[in-house]
Amino acid sequence: MEKYLHRLADDLLEEKLKVSGAVQIRGTMACGKTTTAKQHASSLVLMDDPQEGQRNIAMATSFPVDFLAKNPPLLIDEWQVVPSIWDSVRHEVDRRGKFGQFILTGSATPLEDDEEDVIRHSGTARIASINMRPLTLYESGFSNGKISLSSLFSGQPYVGGESDRTLEDIAVALCRGGWPMGIGLPDELAFEIPYDFVESTVNNRRFRKVGRKSPQEVRRLMRSYARNVSTQASRTLISKDMGSDGGRRFDDETLAKYLGLLEDLFVIEELPAWNPNIRSAVAVQSAYTRHFTDPSIAVAALGLGPDSLMNDFKTFGLLFESMCIRDLRTYAEHLKGSLFHYRDGSGLEADAVITLRDNRWAAIEVKLAGEAGIDEGAGHLIRIRERIDTQKMKEPSFLMIVTAKKYAYRRKDGVFEVPITMLAP
């Protein structure tokens, strides 16, 4: 039996089961939700099981109390197949009055027309939620984890050490992605997983049901989105990009609908803007930064590989930023925090801002390599710190440049420079 690879979500799930009647695990397909949930469940129902699926659907629809009468915690996999399960679970949690009764996993949110008159309650105070994504570099063992964000938030004044990962190694890791099924596979096989993911996505029936677009058109949308990853590209710009090769553009309404579907399938996960208290009157922008849930999806959508990235450092840099954002999101949530980006009207920006519940925060820039870009990024972070109104907000716990370089150290200006391959939560 293959050894289970511990996930950061295990800790969150264990904690939530102690204080909630049910826990929903959200995330894209193939990121390991079911495997992780099984480690904490006593019984299991697969709603999309080829043999028992129809029976399970009939039971969940017609006899929900009997359907839920299994040893807790009961894991219901792909619960969104029967959206009414949500309310059935909520009612059963109320009836039992106990924590840790159910785990719900799903790789999509129910379609709006499915939800109508079916899900009647948000689940507040009954059903908690956690997010799962593909493996971070720390979870997969690619990062040595010698520098933890928790320690930096606690005031650790010094960072140091080195990583043995090369730039070529990072290009390979980016193309492999964080897919658990790829662990232990040779590179050439692991590279196929995100390509298969793209094929599965473009052929998803939801697109045809909502917009009657062909898989080829959805593929063109994903390719255009990939060309604009790690930017705040508008829908107009993405649509224009779709037409750059002579293909048909989506109108704004259709594009918004399809991007919404990609979000519902957890294929994309856009990064919201941070709106801090600042001293100056400069406008803070509110646009989201475009990201796939895993950067390997963008690699596959563009038809790239490690050699392509090593020969195109602009694209490599954007995808590297997206990989760092994937990891930083998971690390931030493990610390009970959230991740944002910052950009204002003067062009001052930070690729990532981690905020914690106690109002501690840290600003981060991501730079693949190159001293000039790193110096510029450090300058941005220092200027952001100077703009913060410290009468209304705390000083940042730290400022950091995340890189693909070898060494970690504290710069003379006080900004930490840390390889992503050394970072841990």
Side-chain angles (χ1 to χ4, degrees), residues 26-315:
R26 303 176 297 198
T28 193
M29 58 183 177
C31 72
K33 300 182 301 298
T34 304
T35 302
T36 291
K38 284 180 178 178
Q39 313 307 308
H40 303 262
S42 297
S43 53
L44 166 68
V45 175
L46 304 173
M47 299 307 298
D48 61 351
D49 183 270
Q51 295 182 334
E52 297 293 329
Q54 290 304 314
R55 176 184 175 278
N56 291 336
I57 290 171
M59 285 290 293
T61 303
S62 302
F63 306 101
V65 175
D66 293 335
F67 172 75
L68 298 175
K70 296 178 176 62
N71 291 334
L74 166 62
L75 166 57
I76 307 172
D77 188 49
E78 299 299 345
W79 71 270
Q80 78 283 349
V81 172
V82 182
S84 61
I85 286 176
W86 183 272
D87 282 329
S88 298
V89 165
R90 181 181 68 85
H91 283 295
E92 191 64 13
V93 166
D94 282 347
R95 189 185 72 80
R96 296 182 187 181
K98 297 179 180 180
F99 296 137
Q101 299 299 295
F102 303 100
I103 304 173
L104 308 179
T105 60
S107 53
T109 58
L111 287 169
E112 288 185 7
D113 57 348
D114 291 336
E115 290 182 300
E116 186 177 357
D117 296 326
V118 177
I119 297 178
R120 307 176 190 276
H121 193 282
S122 66
T124 301
R126 281 88 162 184
I127 307 175
S129 294
I130 65 172
N131 300 314
M132 272 194 76
R133 303 176 184 86
L135 293 156
T136 63
L137 297 181
Y138 173 68
E139 289 173 305
S140 67
F142 191 83
S143 167
N144 62 31
K146 291 182 177 179
I147 298 174
S148 75
L149 292 173
S150 176
S151 295
L152 297 181
F153 271 112
S154 296
Q156 178 178 318
Y158 169 81
V159 300
E162 63 182 279
S163 167
D164 60 359
R165 305 295 187 179
T166 66
L167 196 58
E168 291 82 359
D169 293 335
I170 291 173
V172 170
L174 201 158
C175 294
R176 289 178 64 102
W179 309 104
M181 68 181 69
I183 296 295
L185 289 180
D187 290 340
E188 61 270 17
L189 295 180
F191 293 157
E192 291 301 310
I193 295 173
Y195 277 86
D196 291 342
F197 182 99
V198 170
E199 289 302 312
S200 177
T201 300
V202 301
N203 287 289
N204 191 290
R205 65 179 180 84
R206 289 185 170 219
F207 294 103
R208 294 191 295 277
K209 184 176 181 179
V210 172
R212 299 183 182 276
K213 298 297 182 183
S214 69
Q216 290 73 25
E217 289 179 299
V218 180
R219 191 189 312 279
R220 287 177 47 245
L221 168 58
M222 291 184 69
R223 187 180 302 124
S224 295
Y225 192 96
R227 283 195 285 260
N228 289 281
V229 76
S230 298
T231 74
Q232 289 90 50
S234 65
R235 291 201 299 266
T236 300
L237 184 57
I238 292 174
S239 178
K240 182 178 179 180
D241 185 272
M242 289 183 68
S244 63
D245 57 1
R248 186 169 62 175
R249 301 182 185 182
F250 283 2
D251 60 69
D252 189 67
E253 181 180 356
T254 301
L255 182 56
K257 187 180 296 183
Y258 272 61
L259 290 177
L261 284 172
L262 288 173
E263 191 170 16
D264 287 344
L265 292 168
F266 305 105
V267 174
I268 62 175
E269 187 178 13
E270 302 186 332
L271 189 64
W274 186 51
N275 189 15
N277 294 301
I278 56 177
R279 293 190 179 98
S280 65
V282 65
V284 177
Q285 297 185 4
S286 59
Y288 283 60
T289 304
R290 309 288 186 178
H291 289 288
F292 284 99
T293 304
D294 191 278
S296 67
I297 304 172
V299 170
L302 294 172
L304 303 178
D307 291 342
S308 308
L309 298 182
M310 293 301 296
N311 289 316
D312 181 357
F313 271 72
K314 180 178 180 181
T315 299

